[in-house]
Each structure stands twice: as C-alpha cells, then as structure tokens.
C-alpha cells in the first residue's frame, strides 16, 4: 500500500505545481507574442494615432514662447563667441588654437540653431524680432537667413517624401546610377559629405535646381523675392566685412580666428542634420511617395540623437522628432514635450543611445550610414535605403 501511494504521488502533480506550470506557459506565450510583435512591427505602417493625439499629450506651457528667455540664450552665446575669439587672439599659442577651433566652431553651430528657431517662429511671437535676430545670427555665419528659412520650411512640410523633401533626401536608383563614380565617392566618403552645406546653399541637392541667394530661384514664390534679396544683401555685407578684416589683421589670422571655426560649424550642421534623417543601426527608416506620405508619417521617420555635453550647447536640437512635428515649440521645452509624447508615440519613437560627455560613437554611426544608405528604389510608395555593393 505504501509503495502504491508513493507511485500515485509521483505520477500525480499537486494543484499548486499545475498552477505554476500553467503560469509559466502563459508567461512563455506572452514573451513569444511580445517577440512576434517586435518582429512584426513595421515602421512604415500608418500609426494608430493622430497628430492631434500627440499635441494633446504635450503640456500647454510647452507651446509658450518667452522672447526674453530666447534673447538670454542669444546674449549668452554671443558673449562666449567673443570671449573665445578675444582669448585666442590675446594668447596666440599654437597648441591652444585647435581647442579654440573646435570650441568656436561648435558655438557657431549653436548660433545657427538659435537663428533656426527664429526661422520657425519658435523664438518669439514677434515676426520682426525673429527676422532681426535671425538675420544677425545667420549673416554672421554666412547663411542667407530668408533663403534658408524658406527652403527649411519646405523640408519640414515635406519631410520623408522621396521627391519633395529638401534636406538629405534620398537619391532614386535611376538618379544614383546617372552620377559618375567620383561624384558617388564624394557624396558617401568621409569627410566630404560634411562639407556639403555651402554647396547646397549655392546649388541645392542633386536633381534640384536653384540657389538660396537668387530671388528668381524656383525655391521661392514672387511674394518671397524681396525677403530673399534682403538676406542676400546681409550675407554680402558680412562677406565684405571679412574681406576688409583680411587687410586689417591679415588673411592667416582671419583664417585661424574665423575661417577654420566656420568649417567646423559646417561639419556640425551637416553631421547633425544627416543623423536626424538616417536610421538607427538597422537602417530601417521608411521614405514615402504618393498617397502613402503624410505629414505625420514623414515626421515620424526623424531620429533623436544624444550628444552628451553638446546637448545644452546646441540647445537640444538633437531632440528632433517633436521639433519636426511641432516646430513652433521653443527649444527649451523640447525635452519635456518629448517625454510627454512618448506614451502616444510608442514604438514609432526610437529611444536614442545615450552618449558619453563627447558623442564620439556617432562618428561610427555616420560612417556605417555612408557605407549602406546610397539610394532608394525607383518604384514603390514605401521604400528603404539600399546599398551599392560596388561603392
């Protein structure tokens, strides 16, 4: 009897054991379902929310523009710029110049971001104040304020559209194949793509005609020609001032004081802009054509990036998804607005990789993208970057 009882107990499981095993099965099933959901998530599919849902999730005070607060950032940055230049000229020690170039070039980039806010109207509610500050900041770093402002507006209105986007939009396979080998290499070989911005201002991107300096360009409507002419005149005045300074302080000193920091600024601008519009490590960012494109879906293909210490210096422009969807939000509320919107965005928001103090890891991200993101198919309304194995 005792032997039989032992056999019965061994062959029969207690109710608590069965419950545990049942829960384990459920957990495994849930885990499998979660894995399947992750695998099945299609970043190019229409999101289950509307742009109004995101807007409603953002606190109301995030939409308020404080002109005094905005001006305080301008004053702070200008003080830093002139302090750096004064110290560099005063000490004039060879081993300090590289440190100055990187620091000043980064500050030029910070000035650009504040002028960029003026162009979006997120600097203040006063169009005249936005225009005056925007012209001062952008002209100082040789950017035609209104010419750029208008084309950048086009970029925001058409972001993620293969043909209509204005900034780092992909080449179609046919257009890519029409380029000569040297042009392809220059476009996708470091550091040449990071020097593209001045060329873009003069000639735009491949396949697009026009100039940010020419009021007759197809970039602009007849009503915008006067604004473009004003910006070109301001740019010309700054260029003339730099030529005059060549005679005052000598071309070599001007090159060290302004020229090299300008190049660093251009590299910052091109790198940050590029990384906002090229995918994470798996390079799965969709581009759209036709009826598949919408303002919301295009904006959701933007990438947030973490720049470590640089986040505060360049006014959190790395917090870019919410900026693209709602460019009227001031930069000092972008982080708070993003945190509030994350529950709505769900998987359509790609959490940026955390950076150390200096965002050196982004160089590897950039180089990998240059190797892989070459063109998109000529056909299809939802397309992804493809790689030219011969390049």
């Amino acid at each position: 009897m005792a032997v039989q009882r032992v056999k019965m107990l061994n062959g029969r499981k207690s109710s608590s054991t069965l419950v545990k095993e049942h829960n384990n099965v459920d957990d495994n099933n849930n885990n499998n379902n979660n894995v399947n959901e992750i695998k099945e998530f299609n970043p190019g599919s229409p999101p289950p929310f509307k742009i109004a849902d995101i807007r409603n999730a953002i606190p109301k005070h995030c939409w308020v523009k404080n002109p005094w607060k905005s001006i305080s950032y301008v004053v702070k940055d200008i003080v830093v710029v002139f302090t750096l230049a004064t110290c560099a000229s005063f000490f004039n020690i060879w081993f300090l110049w590289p440190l100055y170039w990187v620091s000043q070039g980064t500050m030029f980039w910070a000035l650009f971001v504040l002028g960029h806010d003026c162009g979006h109207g997120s600097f203040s509610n006063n169009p005249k104040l936005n225009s005056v500050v925007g012209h001062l900041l952008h002209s100082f770093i040789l950017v035609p304020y209104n010419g750029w402002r208008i084309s950048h507006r086009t970029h925001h209105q058409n972001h993620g559209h293969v043909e209509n986007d204005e900034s780092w939009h992909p080449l179609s396979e046919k257009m890519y194949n029409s380029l000569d080998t040297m042009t392809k290499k220059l476009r996708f070989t470091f550091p040449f793509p990071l020097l593209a911005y001045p060329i873009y201002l003069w000639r735009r991107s491949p396949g697009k005609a026009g100039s940010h300096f020419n009021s007759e360009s197809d970039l602009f409507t007849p009503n915008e020609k006067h604004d473009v002419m004003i910006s070109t005149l301001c740019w010309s005045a700054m260029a003339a001032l730099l030529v005059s300074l060549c005679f005052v302080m000598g071309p070599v000193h001007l090159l060290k004081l302004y020229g090299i920091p300008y190049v660093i600024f251009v590299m910052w601008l091109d790198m940050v802009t590029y990384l906002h519009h090229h995918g994470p490590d798996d390079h799965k960012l969709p581009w759209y054509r036709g009826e598949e494109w919408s303002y919301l879906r295009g904006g959701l293909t933007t990438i947030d990036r973490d720049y470590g210490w640089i986040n505060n210096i360049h006014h959190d422009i790395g917090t870019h998804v919410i900026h693209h969807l709602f460019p009227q939000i001031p930069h000092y509320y972008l982080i708070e607005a993003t945190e509030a919107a994350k529950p709505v965005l769900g998987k359509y928001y790609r959490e940026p990789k955390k950076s150390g103090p200096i965002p050196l890891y982004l160089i590897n991200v950039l180089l990998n993208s240059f190797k892989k993101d070459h063109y998109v198919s000529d056909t299809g309304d939802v397309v992804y970057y493809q790689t030219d194995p011969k390049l």
Side-chain angles (χ1 to χ4, degrees):
M1 290 292 293
V3 173
Q4 280 187 329
R5 182 174 177 82
V6 170
K7 289 182 178 180
M8 289 178 63
L9 288 173
N10 288 337
R12 185 176 59 192
K13 296 180 180 177
S14 67
S15 59
S16 61
T17 303
L18 289 173
V19 169
K20 288 181 180 178
E21 289 184 355
H22 178 71
N23 289 337
N24 288 337
V25 171
D26 285 344
D27 289 340
N28 289 334
N29 287 337
N30 289 333
N31 290 334
N32 289 335
N33 289 336
N34 290 335
V35 171
N36 289 334
E37 287 177 7
I38 293 173
K39 289 182 178 179
E40 293 172 1
F41 173 66
N42 179 6
S45 62
F49 50 82
K50 298 180 180 179
I51 196 166
D53 299 325
I54 309 172
R55 183 185 292 110
N56 293 335
I58 298 174
K60 292 183 178 179
H61 69 267
C62 291
W63 305 88
V64 178
K65 307 161 193 173
N66 185 335
W68 292 109
K69 189 170 186 176
S70 297
I71 289 173
S72 71
Y73 285 102
V74 173
V75 172
K76 181 193 72 175
D77 284 2
I78 289 176
V79 168
V80 173
V81 166
F82 281 95
T83 300
L84 287 172
T86 301
C87 292
S89 294
F90 178 78
F91 291 105
N92 196 17
I93 303 174
W94 68 268
F95 61 84
L96 291 180
W97 279 108
L99 179 61
Y100 166 77
W101 295 331
V102 173
S103 301
Q104 192 71 294
T106 304
M107 290 309 303
F108 281 12
W109 164 233
L111 292 180
F112 176 89
V113 175
L114 293 178
H116 154 273
D117 286 359
C118 293
H120 280 302
S122 60
F123 189 85
S124 78
N125 288 321
N126 187 330
K128 290 185 178 179
L129 177 62
N130 295 338
S131 182
V132 170
V133 176
H135 273 93
L136 289 173
L137 295 176
H138 275 194
S139 298
F140 176 73
I141 49 178
L142 294 177
V143 176
Y145 172 71
N146 279 323
W148 171 86
R149 174 183 64 81
I150 294 167
S151 73
H152 190 66
R153 180 189 64 198
T154 302
H155 164 57
H156 270 258
Q157 291 174 342
N158 297 278
H159 182 279
H161 194 290
V162 174
E163 285 82 22
N164 298 339
D165 201 348
E166 183 65 29
S167 178
W168 287 117
H169 62 91
L171 299 176
S172 67
E173 186 172 5
K174 180 179 180 181
M175 183 178 298
Y176 176 83
N177 289 332
S178 69
L179 301 177
D180 59 78
T181 303
M182 182 57 67
T183 300
K184 292 178 183 178
K185 287 188 176 297
L186 288 175
R187 185 175 176 86
F188 298 105
T189 303
F190 181 87
F192 301 110
L194 301 187
L195 303 173
Y197 185 64
I199 300 172
Y200 166 71
L201 290 177
W202 284 101
R203 297 181 56 184
R204 293 178 78 189
S205 303
K208 295 180 181 289
S211 170
H212 290 76
F213 299 93
N214 183 3
S215 61
E216 300 296 325
S217 172
D218 292 341
L219 270 168
F220 315 116
T221 66
N223 293 333
E224 295 167 337
K225 290 182 179 180
H226 180 261
D227 291 339
V228 175
M229 290 176 62
I230 291 176
S231 295
T232 301
L233 286 173
C234 291
W235 183 95
S236 301
M238 182 61 194
L241 175 61
L242 291 173
V243 172
S244 301
L245 289 174
C246 277
F247 294 98
V248 174
M249 63 179 62
V252 174
H253 192 68
L254 183 63
L255 177 67
K256 293 193 295 183
L257 205 62
Y258 183 92
I260 297 177
Y262 171 79
V263 174
I264 300 296
F265 146 67
V266 168
M267 296 181 75
W268 264 117
L269 189 153
D270 280 319
M271 183 183 77
V272 172
T273 307
Y274 183 95
L275 289 174
H276 284 159
H277 305 115
H278 288 73
D281 294 337
D282 59 4
H283 295 269
K284 284 294 184 181
L285 278 183
W287 287 82
Y288 302 100
R289 292 188 178 101
E291 295 182 358
E292 288 292 337
W293 179 89
S294 71
Y295 180 83
L296 174 59
R297 293 174 74 181
L300 291 176
T301 63
T302 308
I303 297 289
D304 277 10
R305 300 290 187 182
D306 181 29
Y307 292 89
W309 284 343
I310 313 298
N311 287 332
N312 291 329
I313 296 175
H314 71 184
H315 309 296
D316 293 314
I317 195 62
T319 311
H320 210 67
V321 176
I322 288 300
H323 166 70
H324 242 283
L325 294 173
F326 307 109
Q328 61 271 40
I329 293 179
H331 70 82
Y332 39 83
Y333 288 132
L334 285 176
I335 293 178
E336 183 179 355
T338 298
E339 291 299 322
K342 281 182 184 180
V344 178
L345 297 173
K347 296 176 183 177
Y348 287 86
Y349 178 79
R350 302 160 184 86
E351 194 73 37
K353 178 181 177 181
K354 292 300 179 183
S355 170
I358 306 299
L360 297 177
Y361 81 98
L362 287 174
I363 296 177
N364 189 51
V365 176
L366 190 73
L367 295 178
N368 285 335
S369 183
F370 287 163
K371 293 178 182 178
K372 297 179 180 179
D373 295 353
H374 296 155
Y375 61 86
V376 296
S377 174
D378 295 323
T379 59
D381 290 343
V382 182
V383 293
Y384 295 85
Y385 270 109
Q386 298 183 41
T387 303
D388 179 3
K390 298 178 182 179
L391 189 63

